[in-house]
Amino acid sequence: MEQHSEGLKVMVIDDSKTIRRTAETLLKKVGCEVITAVDGFDALAKIADTHPSIIFVDIMMPRLDGYQTCALIKNNSAFKSTPVIMLSSKDGLFDKAKGRIVGSDQYLTKPFSKEELLGAIKTHVPDFVPVEQAS
């Protein structure tokens, strides 16, 4: 089942409007369908409705942080296999380890580049084909 990026559903969960907008712009340019959420609670409702193929989640958020959100996603049998990539402005070993413990599949440090974002998708959604290869 080849999944072209046409309609590849990518969720970006971040309380920063700038980060959400940046990720959304980059991902839409390569043909992804982007679902954004402002925090974990917002995301959990949207995940159930939209079934994204991959989820990017910020660690530091109000109400429900990235670790709690990731743990809830990974503990749900319907979404256990959905790749979750943690986003953080902190590059600490402790944060990366904690991310692994709650089940995250990868860790990206903010600010991330287009290459890092697309690289993470290609790693976890191997049949992902960006629409425009030229930058």
Side-chain angles (χ1 to χ4, degrees):
M1 180 179 129
E2 189 164 308
Q3 185 168 4
H4 285 280
S5 58
E6 290 293 350
L8 177 77
K9 289 184 186 170
V10 181
M11 175 168 271
V12 179
I13 311 164
D14 201 308
D15 56 325
S16 161
K17 193 174 195 172
T18 308
I19 296 289
R20 287 196 312 273
R21 267 213 195 116
T22 303
E24 188 173 13
T25 303
L26 290 173
L27 294 167
K28 280 188 172 173
K29 277 185 183 160
V30 295
C32 294
E33 181 183 329
V34 184
I35 304 113
T36 60
V38 294
D39 63 29
F41 284 113
D42 186 23
L44 294 173
K46 290 179 177 178
I47 289 167
D49 292 340
T50 60
H51 292 263
S53 301
I54 187 166
I55 300 167
F56 290 90
V57 60
D58 181 28
I59 291 173
M60 303 292 287
M61 294 185 295
R63 299 200 306 163
L64 202 61
D65 72 21
Y67 297 123
Q68 294 164 315
T69 304
C70 180
L72 288 166
I73 293 165
K74 292 296 187 175
N75 286 329
N76 183 319
S77 57
F79 304 106
K80 193 181 296 204
S81 61
T82 305
V84 176
I85 287 68
M86 305 297 272
L87 300 174
S88 179
S89 45
K90 297 194 287 187
D91 194 17
L93 202 58
F94 174 77
D95 297 302
K96 290 181 181 180
K98 195 171 176 187
R100 287 273 178 227
I101 291 165
V102 295
S104 76
D105 296 275
Q106 195 176 333
Y107 190 101
L108 287 183
T109 306
K110 296 192 282 188
F112 46 78
S113 66
K114 175 183 176 181
E115 288 70 30
E116 288 173 314
L117 206 59
L118 294 179
I121 295 172
K122 287 175 188 164
T123 299
H124 301 287
V125 187
D127 44 9
F128 167 71
V129 183
V131 171
E132 48 119 46
Q133 294 289 349
S135 51

mmCIF file of all heavy atoms in Angstrom, residues 87-120:
data_model
loop_
_atom_site.group_PDB
_atom_site.id
_atom_site.type_symbol
_atom_site.label_atom_id
_atom_site.label_comp_id
_atom_site.label_asym_id
_atom_site.label_seq_id
_atom_site.Cartn_x
_atom_site.Cartn_y
_atom_site.Cartn_z
ATOM 1 N N LEU A 87 9.159 17.244 20.076
ATOM 2 C CA LEU A 87 9.798 18.497 19.697
ATOM 3 C C LEU A 87 10.161 19.250 20.972
ATOM 4 O O LEU A 87 9.333 19.368 21.865
ATOM 5 C CB LEU A 87 8.841 19.372 18.882
ATOM 6 C CG LEU A 87 8.307 18.812 17.570
ATOM 7 C CD1 LEU A 87 7.259 19.764 16.997
ATOM 8 C CD2 LEU A 87 9.431 18.628 16.562
ATOM 9 N N SER A 88 11.382 19.755 21.045
ATOM 10 C CA SER A 88 11.751 20.526 22.225
ATOM 11 C C SER A 88 12.850 21.509 21.916
ATOM 12 O O SER A 88 13.692 21.270 21.058
ATOM 13 C CB SER A 88 12.217 19.599 23.344
ATOM 14 O OG SER A 88 12.599 20.375 24.469
ATOM 15 N N SER A 89 12.839 22.612 22.625
ATOM 16 C CA SER A 89 13.923 23.583 22.481
ATOM 17 C C SER A 89 15.096 23.159 23.360
ATOM 18 O O SER A 89 16.178 23.704 23.260
ATOM 19 C CB SER A 89 13.432 24.983 22.841
ATOM 20 O OG SER A 89 12.685 24.928 24.027
ATOM 21 N N LYS A 90 14.857 22.152 24.216
ATOM 22 C CA LYS A 90 15.936 21.638 25.063
ATOM 23 C C LYS A 90 16.568 20.427 24.383
ATOM 24 O O LYS A 90 15.856 19.588 23.842
ATOM 25 C CB LYS A 90 15.395 21.227 26.439
ATOM 26 C CG LYS A 90 14.826 22.397 27.223
ATOM 27 C CD LYS A 90 14.616 22.052 28.672
ATOM 28 C CE LYS A 90 13.436 21.116 28.867
ATOM 29 N NZ LYS A 90 13.087 20.892 30.270
ATOM 30 N N ASP A 91 17.894 20.356 24.433
ATOM 31 C CA ASP A 91 18.583 19.269 23.760
ATOM 32 C C ASP A 91 19.200 18.308 24.771
ATOM 33 O O ASP A 91 20.202 17.664 24.507
ATOM 34 C CB ASP A 91 19.677 19.852 22.842
ATOM 35 C CG ASP A 91 20.198 18.819 21.857
ATOM 36 O OD1 ASP A 91 19.519 17.799 21.658
ATOM 37 O OD2 ASP A 91 21.297 19.022 21.318
ATOM 38 N N GLY A 92 18.593 18.233 25.951
ATOM 39 C CA GLY A 92 19.182 17.457 27.031
ATOM 40 C C GLY A 92 19.004 15.957 26.910
ATOM 41 O O GLY A 92 18.014 15.474 26.368
ATOM 42 N N LEU A 93 19.963 15.244 27.417
ATOM 43 C CA LEU A 93 19.936 13.791 27.434
ATOM 44 C C LEU A 93 18.740 13.291 28.246
ATOM 45 O O LEU A 93 18.062 12.346 27.860
ATOM 46 C CB LEU A 93 21.241 13.276 28.066
ATOM 47 C CG LEU A 93 21.659 11.857 27.722
ATOM 48 C CD1 LEU A 93 21.818 11.706 26.210
ATOM 49 C CD2 LEU A 93 22.965 11.531 28.413
ATOM 50 N N PHE A 94 18.454 13.970 29.363
ATOM 51 C CA PHE A 94 17.339 13.591 30.229
ATOM 52 C C PHE A 94 16.016 13.662 29.461
ATOM 53 O O PHE A 94 15.191 12.755 29.542
ATOM 54 C CB PHE A 94 17.283 14.510 31.463
ATOM 55 C CG PHE A 94 16.067 14.273 32.317
ATOM 56 C CD1 PHE A 94 15.988 13.176 33.165
ATOM 57 C CD2 PHE A 94 14.991 15.142 32.252
ATOM 58 C CE1 PHE A 94 14.851 12.962 33.948
ATOM 59 C CE2 PHE A 94 13.845 14.926 33.026
ATOM 60 C CZ PHE A 94 13.789 13.838 33.871
ATOM 61 N N ASP A 95 15.843 14.753 28.695
ATOM 62 C CA ASP A 95 14.604 14.923 27.932
ATOM 63 C C ASP A 95 14.443 13.831 26.888
ATOM 64 O O ASP A 95 13.361 13.302 26.682
ATOM 65 C CB ASP A 95 14.580 16.297 27.256
ATOM 66 C CG ASP A 95 14.585 17.419 28.279
ATOM 67 O OD1 ASP A 95 13.671 17.448 29.113
ATOM 68 O OD2 ASP A 95 15.508 18.247 28.256
ATOM 69 N N LYS A 96 15.541 13.505 26.212
ATOM 70 C CA LYS A 96 15.494 12.456 25.189
ATOM 71 C C LYS A 96 15.170 11.106 25.824
ATOM 72 O O LYS A 96 14.360 10.345 25.298
ATOM 73 C CB LYS A 96 16.831 12.384 24.447
ATOM 74 C CG LYS A 96 17.073 13.588 23.569
ATOM 75 C CD LYS A 96 18.385 13.498 22.826
ATOM 76 C CE LYS A 96 18.585 14.748 21.987
ATOM 77 N NZ LYS A 96 19.826 14.745 21.237
ATOM 78 N N ALA A 97 15.792 10.824 26.959
ATOM 79 C CA ALA A 97 15.549 9.556 27.655
ATOM 80 C C ALA A 97 14.097 9.468 28.111
ATOM 81 O O ALA A 97 13.438 8.439 27.949
ATOM 82 C CB ALA A 97 16.483 9.430 28.851
ATOM 83 N N LYS A 98 13.586 10.559 28.677
ATOM 84 C CA LYS A 98 12.197 10.584 29.147
ATOM 85 C C LYS A 98 11.238 10.381 27.967
ATOM 86 O O LYS A 98 10.228 9.689 28.080
ATOM 87 C CB LYS A 98 11.910 11.907 29.866
ATOM 88 C CG LYS A 98 10.639 11.862 30.685
ATOM 89 C CD LYS A 98 10.493 13.086 31.563
ATOM 90 C CE LYS A 98 9.161 13.059 32.284
ATOM 91 N NZ LYS A 98 8.881 14.273 33.022
ATOM 92 N N GLY A 99 11.596 10.973 26.828
ATOM 93 C CA GLY A 99 10.787 10.807 25.620
ATOM 94 C C GLY A 99 10.721 9.350 25.194
ATOM 95 O O GLY A 99 9.666 8.833 24.827
ATOM 96 N N ARG A 100 11.857 8.659 25.269
ATOM 97 C CA ARG A 100 11.915 7.227 24.922
ATOM 98 C C ARG A 100 11.057 6.402 25.876
ATOM 99 O O ARG A 100 10.372 5.471 25.466
ATOM 100 C CB ARG A 100 13.361 6.716 24.983
ATOM 101 C CG ARG A 100 14.211 7.190 23.839
ATOM 102 C CD ARG A 100 14.076 6.250 22.660
ATOM 103 N NE ARG A 100 14.860 6.722 21.539
ATOM 104 C CZ ARG A 100 14.407 6.793 20.300
ATOM 105 N NH1 ARG A 100 13.177 6.451 20.033
ATOM 106 N NH2 ARG A 100 15.175 7.217 19.343
ATOM 107 N N ILE A 101 11.129 6.753 27.162
ATOM 108 C CA ILE A 101 10.371 6.011 28.179
ATOM 109 C C ILE A 101 8.867 6.052 27.888
ATOM 110 O O ILE A 101 8.181 5.057 28.027
ATOM 111 C CB ILE A 101 10.686 6.543 29.610
ATOM 112 C CG1 ILE A 101 12.127 6.165 29.972
ATOM 113 C CG2 ILE A 101 9.699 6.003 30.635
ATOM 114 C CD1 ILE A 101 12.684 6.908 31.176
ATOM 115 N N VAL A 102 8.364 7.217 27.494
ATOM 116 C CA VAL A 102 6.921 7.328 27.224
ATOM 117 C C VAL A 102 6.553 6.817 25.828
ATOM 118 O O VAL A 102 5.398 6.837 25.444
ATOM 119 C CB VAL A 102 6.369 8.767 27.436
ATOM 120 C CG1 VAL A 102 6.474 9.163 28.890
ATOM 121 C CG2 VAL A 102 7.059 9.777 26.527
ATOM 122 N N GLY A 103 7.556 6.368 25.069
ATOM 123 C CA GLY A 103 7.261 5.728 23.792
ATOM 124 C C GLY A 103 7.481 6.556 22.542
ATOM 125 O O GLY A 103 7.063 6.156 21.456
ATOM 126 N N SER A 104 8.138 7.717 22.655
ATOM 127 C CA SER A 104 8.345 8.520 21.447
ATOM 128 C C SER A 104 9.302 7.789 20.506
ATOM 129 O O SER A 104 10.161 7.030 20.936
ATOM 130 C CB SER A 104 8.877 9.911 21.780
ATOM 131 O OG SER A 104 10.247 9.854 22.119
ATOM 132 N N ASP A 105 9.136 8.029 19.214
ATOM 133 C CA ASP A 105 9.934 7.340 18.204
ATOM 134 C C ASP A 105 11.176 8.124 17.810
ATOM 135 O O ASP A 105 12.129 7.564 17.285
ATOM 136 C CB ASP A 105 9.070 7.088 16.961
ATOM 137 C CG ASP A 105 7.912 6.147 17.286
ATOM 138 O OD1 ASP A 105 8.126 4.938 17.238
ATOM 139 O OD2 ASP A 105 6.823 6.637 17.623
ATOM 140 N N GLN A 106 11.149 9.432 18.023
ATOM 141 C CA GLN A 106 12.294 10.269 17.668
ATOM 142 C C GLN A 106 12.198 11.573 18.439
ATOM 143 O O GLN A 106 11.164 11.890 19.019
ATOM 144 C CB GLN A 106 12.293 10.529 16.146
ATOM 145 C CG GLN A 106 13.594 11.069 15.601
ATOM 146 C CD GLN A 106 13.542 11.215 14.077
ATOM 147 O OE1 GLN A 106 12.819 10.507 13.399
ATOM 148 N NE2 GLN A 106 14.319 12.148 13.560
ATOM 149 N N TYR A 107 13.280 12.340 18.414
ATOM 150 C CA TYR A 107 13.358 13.591 19.163
ATOM 151 C C TYR A 107 13.982 14.637 18.259
ATOM 152 O O TYR A 107 15.092 14.434 17.764
ATOM 153 C CB TYR A 107 14.246 13.342 20.388
ATOM 154 C CG TYR A 107 14.271 14.442 21.413
ATOM 155 C CD1 TYR A 107 13.520 14.341 22.577
ATOM 156 C CD2 TYR A 107 15.071 15.565 21.248
ATOM 157 C CE1 TYR A 107 13.556 15.329 23.543
ATOM 158 C CE2 TYR A 107 15.113 16.561 22.207
ATOM 159 C CZ TYR A 107 14.353 16.437 23.353
ATOM 160 O OH TYR A 107 14.388 17.418 24.306
ATOM 161 N N LEU A 108 13.280 15.730 18.010
ATOM 162 C CA LEU A 108 13.833 16.817 17.210
ATOM 163 C C LEU A 108 13.984 18.044 18.097
ATOM 164 O O LEU A 108 13.105 18.347 18.903
ATOM 165 C CB LEU A 108 12.907 17.182 16.042
ATOM 166 C CG LEU A 108 12.804 16.239 14.853
ATOM 167 C CD1 LEU A 108 11.899 16.847 13.791
ATOM 168 C CD2 LEU A 108 14.166 15.929 14.251
ATOM 169 N N THR A 109 15.093 18.748 17.920
ATOM 170 C CA THR A 109 15.321 19.968 18.687
ATOM 171 C C THR A 109 14.845 21.163 17.868
ATOM 172 O O THR A 109 15.117 21.252 16.678
ATOM 173 C CB THR A 109 16.824 20.116 19.017
ATOM 174 O OG1 THR A 109 17.249 18.918 19.660
ATOM 175 C CG2 THR A 109 17.065 21.283 19.950
ATOM 176 N N LYS A 110 14.102 22.062 18.526
ATOM 177 C CA LYS A 110 13.636 23.284 17.857
ATOM 178 C C LYS A 110 14.742 24.334 17.927
ATOM 179 O O LYS A 110 15.454 24.379 18.917
ATOM 180 C CB LYS A 110 12.375 23.832 18.542
ATOM 181 C CG LYS A 110 11.203 22.906 18.436
ATOM 182 C CD LYS A 110 9.904 23.550 18.847
ATOM 183 C CE LYS A 110 9.732 23.652 20.337
ATOM 184 N NZ LYS A 110 8.418 24.101 20.762
ATOM 185 N N PRO A 111 14.901 25.200 16.948
ATOM 186 C CA PRO A 111 14.130 25.188 15.698
ATOM 187 C C PRO A 111 14.615 24.057 14.793
ATOM 188 O O PRO A 111 15.799 23.805 14.709
ATOM 189 C CB PRO A 111 14.448 26.552 15.083
ATOM 190 C CG PRO A 111 15.788 26.908 15.627
ATOM 191 C CD PRO A 111 15.874 26.279 16.990
ATOM 192 N N PHE A 112 13.666 23.395 14.146
ATOM 193 C CA PHE A 112 14.008 22.291 13.254
ATOM 194 C C PHE A 112 14.012 22.809 11.824
ATOM 195 O O PHE A 112 13.388 23.814 11.511
ATOM 196 C CB PHE A 112 13.009 21.139 13.397
ATOM 197 C CG PHE A 112 11.576 21.594 13.396
ATOM 198 C CD1 PHE A 112 10.925 21.925 12.220
ATOM 199 C CD2 PHE A 112 10.885 21.721 14.598
ATOM 200 C CE1 PHE A 112 9.609 22.364 12.227
ATOM 201 C CE2 PHE A 112 9.557 22.166 14.617
ATOM 202 C CZ PHE A 112 8.930 22.487 13.421
ATOM 203 N N SER A 113 14.733 22.120 10.959
ATOM 204 C CA SER A 113 14.786 22.516 9.550
ATOM 205 C C SER A 113 13.769 21.697 8.757
ATOM 206 O O SER A 113 13.264 20.678 9.241
ATOM 207 C CB SER A 113 16.190 22.254 8.988
ATOM 208 O OG SER A 113 16.444 20.862 8.959
ATOM 209 N N LYS A 114 13.521 22.127 7.549
ATOM 210 C CA LYS A 114 12.622 21.397 6.651
ATOM 211 C C LYS A 114 13.163 19.973 6.459
ATOM 212 O O LYS A 114 12.407 19.007 6.465
ATOM 213 C CB LYS A 114 12.542 22.134 5.310
ATOM 214 C CG LYS A 114 11.727 21.414 4.253
ATOM 215 C CD LYS A 114 11.766 22.172 2.937
ATOM 216 C CE LYS A 114 11.041 21.403 1.850
ATOM 217 N NZ LYS A 114 11.083 22.094 0.555
ATOM 218 N N GLU A 115 14.493 19.863 6.317
ATOM 219 C CA GLU A 115 15.131 18.557 6.098
ATOM 220 C C GLU A 115 14.902 17.636 7.294
ATOM 221 O O GLU A 115 14.629 16.448 7.129
ATOM 222 C CB GLU A 115 16.636 18.714 5.851
ATOM 223 C CG GLU A 115 16.992 19.302 4.493
ATOM 224 C CD GLU A 115 16.641 20.793 4.342
ATOM 225 O OE1 GLU A 115 16.663 21.537 5.361
ATOM 226 O OE2 GLU A 115 16.335 21.204 3.213
ATOM 227 N N GLU A 116 15.020 18.181 8.506
ATOM 228 C CA GLU A 116 14.813 17.363 9.712
ATOM 229 C C GLU A 116 13.366 16.886 9.798
ATOM 230 O O GLU A 116 13.099 15.725 10.114
ATOM 231 C CB GLU A 116 15.163 18.168 10.975
ATOM 232 C CG GLU A 116 16.650 18.389 11.158
ATOM 233 C CD GLU A 116 16.954 19.329 12.322
ATOM 234 O OE1 GLU A 116 16.306 20.387 12.430
ATOM 235 O OE2 GLU A 116 17.828 18.979 13.119
ATOM 236 N N LEU A 117 12.443 17.786 9.512
ATOM 237 C CA LEU A 117 11.017 17.470 9.568
ATOM 238 C C LEU A 117 10.679 16.373 8.548
ATOM 239 O O LEU A 117 10.078 15.360 8.887
ATOM 240 C CB LEU A 117 10.214 18.743 9.275
ATOM 241 C CG LEU A 117 8.817 18.858 9.834
ATOM 242 C CD1 LEU A 117 8.820 18.742 11.354
ATOM 243 C CD2 LEU A 117 8.184 20.181 9.425
ATOM 244 N N LEU A 118 11.108 16.580 7.300
ATOM 245 C CA LEU A 118 10.823 15.599 6.255
ATOM 246 C C LEU A 118 11.599 14.309 6.485
ATOM 247 O O LEU A 118 11.097 13.217 6.206
ATOM 248 C CB LEU A 118 11.147 16.177 4.870
ATOM 249 C CG LEU A 118 10.270 17.350 4.432
ATOM 250 C CD1 LEU A 118 10.690 17.845 3.058
ATOM 251 C CD2 LEU A 118 8.802 16.990 4.442
ATOM 252 N N GLY A 119 12.801 14.424 7.020
ATOM 253 C CA GLY A 119 13.612 13.244 7.320
ATOM 254 C C GLY A 119 12.924 12.357 8.342
ATOM 255 O O GLY A 119 12.918 11.128 8.217
ATOM 256 N N ALA A 120 12.336 12.980 9.362
ATOM 257 C CA ALA A 120 11.615 12.225 10.397
ATOM 258 C C ALA A 120 10.421 11.501 9.781
ATOM 259 O O ALA A 120 10.164 10.332 10.084
ATOM 260 C CB ALA A 120 11.148 13.162 11.512
#
